[in-house]
Amino acid sequence: MSRFYDAGPLAKVGINLFYGYGYNFYRLENQFRADDQRVRQMACTLLGRARAGIDAAESRYRRENIQAPTRANPFPDAAIVANAQALERLGGEIGRLEGLIRHQPVPENDRMTQRYRQEGNTLAALAEKDAVLVGQAELLRSIVEGAASDKILASKGEIEEGIAAITATLRERQTFLS
């Protein structure tokens, strides 16, 4: 019988390799770490949908409201341009938040972190903060996805409030990890 089929020694080698890299797939902390990544991915997906909704509304708004220049009227109305720029800015801010969430750190999985910081409690607290983040992203998505540009412009204050709330939650998360 080949050594490749002997589960006892192979399992020991595999476990030793996992431990050498600081990974033990049976530890609850690793499940929390994976959950944290999954939850942040969900928040990014929701924010991506919100940004796509605003981008589509901006595109429709420009197409419907900005007329081709004529000799008599070479420039579009300033209010229309300002509204289009406001939609563009909102979409950019949501995209910035998506990037920030995607690149948020988690505690390192090393022996010093495990010894001096209660990794499981830290990751569980991060999961709570990330759940709030997903809720905020879903609320923002529900406001803008599929909405007409006029409705988005009318809800601009509420959208900016949502962006500020998500930014504050990210700041709390970063402060918690410092």
Side-chain angles (χ1 to χ4, degrees):
M1 183 168 182
S2 174
R3 293 182 306 170
F4 287 101
Y5 296 101
D6 190 9
L10 286 178
K12 288 179 186 175
V13 169
I15 295 296
N16 284 336
L17 286 173
F18 282 132
Y19 284 154
Y21 286 111
Y23 181 77
N24 179 353
F25 47 88
Y26 292 108
R27 289 185 55 219
L28 184 60
E29 289 84 359
N30 291 326
Q31 181 181 351
F32 284 151
R33 186 172 281 105
D35 289 347
D36 177 70
Q37 291 173 349
R38 177 67 184 132
V39 167
R40 286 187 292 126
Q41 178 61 37
M42 288 171 53
C44 288
T45 299
L46 292 169
L47 288 176
R49 289 173 59 186
R51 179 168 187 178
I54 287 183
D55 289 347
E58 177 203 353
S59 176
R60 276 192 314 273
Y61 183 83
R62 287 181 186 269
R63 193 173 43 252
E64 293 169 359
N65 295 305
I66 297 178
Q67 305 299 322
T70 62
R71 191 176 289 254
N73 192 9
F75 300 105
D77 184 21
I80 292 174
V81 172
N83 285 339
Q85 289 173 341
L87 290 170
E88 182 179 14
R89 184 182 54 77
L90 287 173
E93 287 180 22
I94 291 172
R96 179 186 60 81
L97 284 176
E98 181 184 356
L100 286 174
I101 291 170
R102 192 173 305 280
H103 295 98
Q104 284 290 302
V106 294
E108 294 294 325
N109 188 15
D110 59 6
R111 298 288 183 212
M112 295 305 283
T113 301
Q114 291 169 3
R115 178 176 290 173
Y116 295 110
R117 180 183 274 189
Q118 294 176 338
E119 186 182 22
N121 295 339
T122 301
L123 289 167
L126 281 179
E128 291 175 16
K129 292 187 184 312
D130 290 341
V132 170
L133 203 59
V134 169
Q136 291 169 330
E138 170 58 23
L139 183 58
L140 186 63
R141 184 214 53 84
S142 70
I143 293 170
V144 300
E145 189 175 49
S149 56
D150 295 337
K151 183 180 178 193
I152 291 174
L153 288 169
S155 303
K156 183 179 166 212
E158 186 179 13
I159 294 168
E160 288 172 340
E161 182 182 336
I163 290 170
I166 292 171
T167 302
T169 302
L170 286 174
R171 217 174 280 122
E172 287 175 18
R173 188 182 193 283
Q174 290 170 336
T175 303
F176 180 73
L177 286 175
S178 326

